Amino acid sequence: DAGVTQSPTHLIKTRGQHVTLRCSPISGHKSVSWYQQVLGQGPQFIFQYYEKEERGRGNFPDRFSARQFPNYSSELNVNALLLGDSALYLCASSLAGTGRAETQYFGPGTRLLVL
Amino acid sequence: EDQVTQSPEALRLQEGESSSLNCSYTVSGLRGLFWYRQDPGKGPEFLFTLYSAGEEKEKERLKATLTKKESFLHITAPKPEDSATYLCAVQASPNAGNMLTFGGGTRLMVKP
């Protein structure tokens, strides 16, 4: 079975541009979460979506937005890119995202470099 | 605010030299504690979930334990292929969805 997939694998942008990152969850998983991982640090939570609705939001500016589609795939959008947005962006999926703490399975990530 | 602190930041072991990694946490109400392994440039790979104090789980050379304030990842007779960054994360309530709060990780290097 395919795991979580993300595209693109790498991306180079310049300051002020916008970027769209994509994620497909494990088949049967309905919850998708996004994390940002700066080099040398642990991942930081950005968003969770379940059944196309936002269920959680981390401490990130409004330049970050996301959405989930009927097939449970998801997009993360970042506007007005800053140098500090350079990071590994991780997508994680889980079955339902509610109730008892569920295991989240991570994709390989998208490496974003902002110049 | 939920906080997770991992120690040491880096650990060098000789092959076969057993050791433990520490994860200390402060949360309002623990729903679960997770251990992941992350290789350079890749996404975290799930290892264990622990739900309550006293719980233990094992997988090959790894054993995870949980108390009310911390978790340990014990590595018995490690091999070079165990070299990676090990991440600890908590999910707490009240909570922003299923948000995981991660520690900074422990970079483990096992030399042959």
Side-chain angles (χ1 to χ4, degrees):
Chain A
D1 286 342
V4 177
T5 59
Q6 293 186 242
S7 63
T9 56
H10 296 83
L11 205 51
I12 299 176
K13 293 285 188 179
T14 57
R15 283 177 295 175
Q17 286 188 312
H18 72 271
V19 67
T20 298
L21 310 181
R22 295 178 175 83
C23 170
S24 292
I26 293 170
S27 178
H29 285 195
K30 298 182 178 181
S31 174
V32 170
S33 297
W34 287 94
Y35 292 81
Q36 180 196 64
Q37 186 176 27
V38 175
L39 197 63
Q41 298 181 16
Q44 278 199 295
F45 175 77
I46 310 175
F47 287 111
Q48 182 212 354
Y49 275 79
Y50 173 66
E51 292 282 12
K52 298 183 291 180
E53 291 188 3
E54 182 182 303
R55 287 296 184 92
R57 173 185 286 255
N59 188 23
F60 279 80
D62 292 343
R63 299 184 297 107
F64 289 76
S65 64
R67 56 178 176 168
Q68 187 177 34
F69 299 99
N71 66 353
Y72 304 110
S73 67
S74 177
E75 282 183 356
L76 175 70
N77 294 283
V78 186
N79 293 323
L81 285 167
L82 303 173
L83 295 180
D85 295 331
S86 296
L88 181 67
Y89 288 85
L90 296 163
C91 173
S93 78
S94 60
L95 277 169
T98 60
R100 193 186 194 196
E102 291 186 329
T103 297
Q104 294 180 43
Y105 297 90
F106 285 83
T110 293
R111 173 71 64 186
L112 172 65
L113 177 61
V114 182
L115 301 175
Chain B
E1 183 178 328
D2 302 335
Q3 288 190 334
V4 180
T5 303
Q6 291 188 246
S7 61
E9 290 186 3
L11 180 63
R12 291 188 175 189
L13 299 174
Q14 288 295 129
E15 184 173 2
E17 179 186 2
S18 301
S19 187
S20 295
L21 282 55
N22 178 264
C23 171
S24 297
Y25 63 90
T26 305
V27 298
S28 54
L30 183 70
R31 294 170 65 196
L33 184 141
F34 300 82
W35 281 98
Y36 289 88
R37 168 194 170 127
Q38 186 173 29
D39 292 307
K42 298 188 177 181
E45 174 189 346
F46 170 71
L47 294 174
F48 303 108
T49 305
L50 302 168
Y51 292 104
S52 57
E55 191 173 359
E56 299 181 351
K57 289 194 177 173
E58 288 188 64
K59 177 182 178 181
E60 296 180 352
R61 295 178 292 282
L62 301 176
K63 179 180 177 180
T65 62
L66 181 64
T67 73
K68 289 186 178 180
K69 294 183 178 181
E70 57 191 350
S71 177
F72 292 94
L73 184 65
H74 307 278
I75 303 177
T76 302
K79 298 182 178 181
E81 54 261 42
D82 294 323
S83 297
T85 295
Y86 290 84
L87 296 166
C88 170
V90 297
Q91 190 178 118
S93 59
N95 185 266
N98 67 352
M99 176 180 75
L100 292 176
T101 299
F102 282 86
T106 293
R107 295 186 307 279
L108 174 66
M109 185 183 308
V110 182
K111 293 188 173 182

